[in-house]
Coordinates of all heavy atoms in Angstrom, one line a residue:
M829 N 87.1 103.7 78.7 CA 86.6 103.5 80.1 C 85.2 104.1 80.1 O 84.9 105.1 79.4 CB 87.5 104.2 81.1 CG 87.1 103.9 82.5 SD 87.9 105.0 83.7 CE 89.6 104.6 83.4
R832 N 82.3 108.3 84.3 CA 82.1 108.2 85.7 C 81.0 109.1 86.1 O 80.8 110.2 85.5 CB 83.4 108.7 86.4 CG 84.7 108.0 86.0 CD 84.7 106.5 86.2 NE 84.7 106.2 87.6 CZ 84.8 104.9 88.0 NH1 85.0 103.9 87.2 NH2 84.8 104.7 89.3
A881 N 82.8 94.5 93.6 CA 83.5 95.9 93.5 C 84.4 95.9 92.3 O 84.5 96.9 91.6 CB 84.2 96.2 94.8
M884 N 82.8 96.2 89.1 CA 82.2 97.6 88.9 C 83.4 98.6 88.7 O 83.1 99.8 88.4 CB 81.4 98.0 90.1 CG 80.1 97.2 90.3 SD 79.4 97.7 91.9 CE 78.9 99.4 91.6
N885 N 84.6 98.1 88.9 CA 85.7 99.1 89.0 C 85.4 100.2 90.0 O 85.7 101.4 89.8 CB 86.1 99.6 87.7 CG 87.4 100.4 87.7 OD1 88.3 100.0 88.5 ND2 87.6 101.4 86.9
H886 N 84.9 99.8 91.2 CA 84.5 100.7 92.2 C 84.8 100.1 93.5 O 84.1 99.1 93.9 CB 83.0 101.1 92.0 CG 82.7 102.4 92.8 ND1 83.2 103.6 92.5 CD2 81.9 102.6 93.9 CE1 82.8 104.5 93.4 NE2 82.0 103.9 94.2
H887 N 85.6 100.7 94.3 CA 86.2 99.9 95.4 C 85.9 100.6 96.8 O 86.0 101.8 96.9 CB 87.8 99.9 95.2 CG 88.1 99.2 93.9 ND1 88.3 99.9 92.7 CD2 88.1 97.9 93.5 CE1 88.6 99.0 91.7 NE2 88.4 97.8 92.2
P888 N 85.6 99.8 97.8 CA 85.3 100.3 99.1 C 86.5 100.6 99.9 O 87.6 100.1 99.7 CB 84.5 99.1 99.7 CG 85.2 97.9 99.1 CD 85.5 98.3 97.7
E889 N 86.3 101.5 100.9 CA 87.2 101.6 102.0 C 86.6 100.8 103.1 O 85.4 101.1 103.5 CB 87.3 103.1 102.5 CG 87.8 104.0 101.4 CD 87.7 105.5 101.8 OE1 87.8 105.8 103.0 OE2 87.4 106.3 100.9
D900 N 83.1 102.3 104.2 CA 82.8 103.6 103.8 C 82.9 103.7 102.2 O 83.9 103.2 101.7 CB 83.8 104.6 104.3 CG 83.6 104.9 105.8 OD1 82.6 105.5 106.1 OD2 84.4 104.5 106.6
L901 N 81.9 104.2 101.6 CA 81.8 104.3 100.2 C 81.8 105.8 99.7 O 81.0 106.6 100.2 CB 80.6 103.6 99.6 CG 80.4 102.1 100.0 CD1 79.1 101.6 99.4 CD2 81.6 101.3 99.5
S902 N 82.7 106.1 98.8 CA 82.6 107.4 98.1 C 83.4 107.2 96.8 O 84.0 106.2 96.6 CB 83.3 108.5 98.9 OG 84.7 108.4 98.9
T903 N 83.2 108.2 95.9 CA 83.8 108.1 94.6 C 84.9 109.1 94.6 O 84.7 110.3 94.5 CB 82.8 108.4 93.5 OG1 81.7 107.5 93.6 CG2 83.4 108.3 92.1
H904 N 86.1 108.6 94.7 CA 87.3 109.5 94.8 C 87.5 110.4 93.6 O 87.8 111.5 93.7 CB 88.6 108.6 95.0 CG 88.4 107.6 96.1 ND1 88.5 106.2 95.9 CD2 88.0 107.8 97.4 CE1 88.2 105.6 97.1 NE2 87.9 106.5 98.0
D905 N 87.2 109.8 92.4 CA 87.3 110.6 91.1 C 86.4 111.8 91.1 O 86.7 112.8 90.4 CB 87.1 109.7 89.9 CG 88.0 108.5 89.8 OD1 89.1 108.6 90.4 OD2 87.7 107.6 89.1
A906 N 85.2 111.6 91.8 CA 84.2 112.7 91.7 C 84.3 113.6 93.0 O 83.6 114.6 93.1 CB 82.8 112.1 91.6
G907 N 85.1 113.2 94.0 CA 85.2 114.0 95.2 C 83.9 114.0 96.0 O 83.6 115.0 96.7
G908 N 83.2 112.9 96.0 CA 82.0 112.8 96.8 C 81.2 111.5 96.5 O 81.8 110.5 96.0
L912 N 77.2 105.4 91.8 CA 78.0 104.1 91.9 C 78.1 103.7 93.3 O 78.1 102.5 93.6 CB 79.5 104.4 91.4 CG 79.7 104.2 89.9 CD1 81.2 104.5 89.7 CD2 79.4 102.8 89.5
D913 N 78.2 104.6 94.3 CA 78.3 104.2 95.7 C 77.0 103.6 96.2 O 77.0 102.6 96.9 CB 78.6 105.5 96.5 CG 80.0 106.0 96.1 OD1 81.0 105.3 96.2 OD2 80.1 107.2 95.7
L916 N 76.8 100.1 94.7 CA 77.6 99.1 95.4 C 77.0 98.8 96.8 O 76.9 97.7 97.2 CB 79.0 99.6 95.5 CG 80.0 98.7 96.3 CD1 80.1 97.3 95.6 CD2 81.4 99.4 96.3
Ligands
LIG1280 N1 86.8 103.4 93.5 C1 86.2 104.3 94.2 N2 85.5 104.1 95.3 N3 86.2 105.6 93.7 C2 86.9 105.9 92.5 O1 86.9 107.1 92.1 C3 87.5 104.8 91.8 C4 87.5 103.5 92.4 N4 88.1 105.1 90.7 N5 88.1 102.5 91.8 C5 88.6 104.0 89.9 C6 89.0 102.8 90.7 C7 89.8 104.6 89.1 O2 90.9 104.9 89.9 C8 90.2 103.7 87.9 C9 91.3 104.4 87.2 O3 89.1 103.5 87.1

Side-chain angles (χ1 to χ4, degrees):
M829 190 194 297
R832 308 300 294 186
M884 295 172 68
N885 191 31
H886 196 64
H887 303 96
E889 299 170 35
D900 286 293
L901 303 180
S902 72
T903 304
H904 310 122
D905 297 341
L912 273 180
D913 298 302
L916 182 54

